[in-house]
Amino acid sequence: MKVFTDSLGTRVELRFDESIEARHILVIPTFNGKYVFTRHKKRGVEFPGGKLEDRETIYDAVCRELFEETGAKVKTITYLGTYTVYDEEPFNKAAYKVEVDAFIEKCDYHETLGPVLYEHLEDIHEKDKSILLKDPCIQYLYDQTKTM
């Protein structure tokens, strides 16, 4: 287990046990050697993710959220870890590295403006980054994908 404190001072615990039930997902996708981000309309550039819908499997949620926010189709999915955010109401979020097979251009990317690709997280201007990209747990997970 790894322990982090987010920018709001909230405790975050990362475990590497895929059996932990999670209702939220984070996707760290790559395509042709670049990381795939989405530009959220309010928060800025971030990795895709969201909540599971009723009766949806975690893998279905990964594919759906990635497609909704970027138009990307999944080639491979690799589990990274599950982190618990000890907010007023604690929640678990499972994180996955995804290799993207292809993109389908869409007219609507839900609450985002579609995909943006960067070679490195550090290539994104600080003012454009969502608060989520500044989160130490998400940065740790990103760093882990560099060696995969």
Side-chain angles (χ1 to χ4, degrees):
M1 177 176 71
K2 295 213 167 269
V3 178
F4 306 90
T5 302
D6 70 16
S7 63
L8 301 174
T10 305
R11 181 180 175 88
V12 177
E13 294 177 356
L14 173 63
R15 293 180 178 81
F16 307 96
D17 178 359
E18 198 169 6
S19 70
I20 298 170
E21 185 178 344
R23 299 295 304 159
H24 302 257
I25 52 117
L26 171 74
V27 184
I28 302 179
T30 60
F31 180 72
N32 290 341
K34 293 186 177 184
Y35 285 89
V36 180
F37 298 87
T38 190
R39 186 176 304 276
H40 190 277
K41 291 177 182 177
K42 294 180 181 174
R43 292 188 300 259
V45 177
E46 61 189 24
F47 287 117
K51 295 179 185 177
L52 273 72
E53 294 179 352
D54 289 340
R55 293 187 279 280
E56 185 175 45
T57 70
I58 198 118
Y59 290 101
D60 289 343
V62 167
C63 295
R64 178 186 52 76
E65 287 287 351
L66 182 63
F67 182 74
E68 284 179 357
E69 296 183 7
T70 68
K73 301 298 271 181
V74 171
K75 184 175 183 179
T76 64
I77 300 174
T78 305
Y79 175 73
L80 295 172
T82 301
Y83 60 97
T84 304
V85 179
Y86 288 95
D87 210 350
E88 288 179 23
E89 214 173 297
F91 64 92
N92 295 328
K93 186 177 274 196
Y96 294 87
K97 180 181 188 296
V98 169
E99 185 180 354
V100 171
D101 185 45
F103 288 92
I104 296 173
E105 191 170 334
K106 299 171 47 174
C107 295
D108 178 28
Y109 294 92
H110 291 267
E111 67 270 3
T112 79
L113 299 172
V116 288
L117 280 66
Y118 291 95
E119 283 191 42
H120 308 282
L121 178 74
E122 300 78 16
D123 295 339
I124 304 168
H125 195 284
E126 283 300 311
K127 71 174 179 55
D128 294 332
K129 287 182 184 177
S130 161
I131 191 170
L132 299 174
L133 285 187
K134 300 173 185 178
D135 181 279
C137 181
I138 293 174
Q139 289 179 351
Y140 175 84
L141 290 164
Y142 160 77
D143 286 340
Q144 297 309 298
T145 67
K146 293 181 196 176
T147 59
M148 298 176 82

